[in-house]
Amino acid sequence: MPNPSDTTRSTGPDAVAAGRWILDRAGTTVALRHKTIWGLVTVKGAFNDVSGEGEVSADGSARGSVTLGAASLDTGNAKRDAHLRAPDFFDTDRFPSLEFTADSVIPGADGRADVTGLLTVVGKARPLAFSARTTESTPTAVTLSAEIDVDRADYGLTWNKGGMIKGPATVALTVRFVHQPG
């Protein structure tokens, strides 16, 4: 018997309305985690300033963007957060936002969506492709979740005192978009 609190619905071209969509900040989280201290400690943080929009075509494909306020990253450690805002990392005075522009979001029959686009960090845009899981798909709301590994060196973020930072950063996101009629 289906769980009445489960809002997941099947995906497909007729599952969502064509037109303009806006990111629902209340239903969205963008967090990251990264190994540090030679892989012994995982630093976690979340961006508190997230915005976005998109367009769904009649065939169900979509495109859009998500923008993160770089200075809004909160790891729970004020000194570390100040360093992440400095030129060693995000250089938020010069580059106040990080942006992912999705050129293509293609829904799949299995509740997955193939996403391709450009991720821009500190003024450097690099291609990024990943698979997202659709956790909600109604005519008026769509929620996608994904975990994406991002190599910070691809964006020139190479500060690594004593070799303490290991491997890629993992971005865990849940983005919810709501349809804007008209």
Side-chain angles (χ1 to χ4, degrees):
M1 175 177 230
N3 179 348
S5 66
D6 185 1
T7 59
T8 304
R9 295 192 184 171
S10 64
T11 60
D14 57 352
V16 298
R20 186 169 184 256
W21 291 69
I22 298 293
L23 185 116
D24 172 12
R25 292 176 80 160
T28 296
T29 58
V30 179
L32 64 83
R33 63 183 183 272
H34 203 287
K35 295 281 187 188
T36 188
I37 309 182
W38 304 283
L40 300 173
V41 175
T42 301
V43 172
K44 298 176 183 177
F47 290 91
N48 296 315
D49 179 10
V50 183
S51 61
E53 62 183 4
E55 185 78 25
V56 175
S57 299
D59 67 358
S61 64
R63 60 187 174 89
S65 65
V66 174
T67 302
L68 310 172
S72 76
L73 178 59
D74 182 1
T75 67
N77 180 306
K79 185 176 177 180
R80 177 174 46 230
D81 293 348
H83 189 206
L84 290 170
R85 292 181 186 106
D88 285 339
F89 290 98
F90 293 123
D91 197 1
T92 60
D93 287 341
R94 290 182 46 216
F95 304 102
S97 63
L98 297 84
E99 183 171 18
F100 178 69
T101 303
D103 300 320
S104 174
V105 181
I106 306 294
D110 60 353
R112 303 275 270 177
D114 292 324
V115 182
T116 58
L118 289 175
L119 176 62
T120 303
V121 179
V122 296
K124 293 175 180 66
R126 302 288 183 262
L128 183 64
F130 58 92
S131 180
R133 183 173 49 91
T134 305
T135 58
E136 175 186 27
S137 180
T138 72
T140 59
V142 173
T143 303
L144 299 172
S145 296
E147 284 201 1
I148 308 155
D149 288 335
V150 177
D151 186 345
R152 62 193 189 91
D154 290 346
Y155 301 90
L157 302 175
T158 57
W159 185 92
N160 192 5
K161 187 175 183 178
M164 294 187 343
I165 302 172
K166 298 288 185 187
T170 299
V171 179
L173 59 91
T174 298
V175 290
R176 183 173 194 266
F177 288 88
V178 293
H179 185 249
Q180 299 298 298

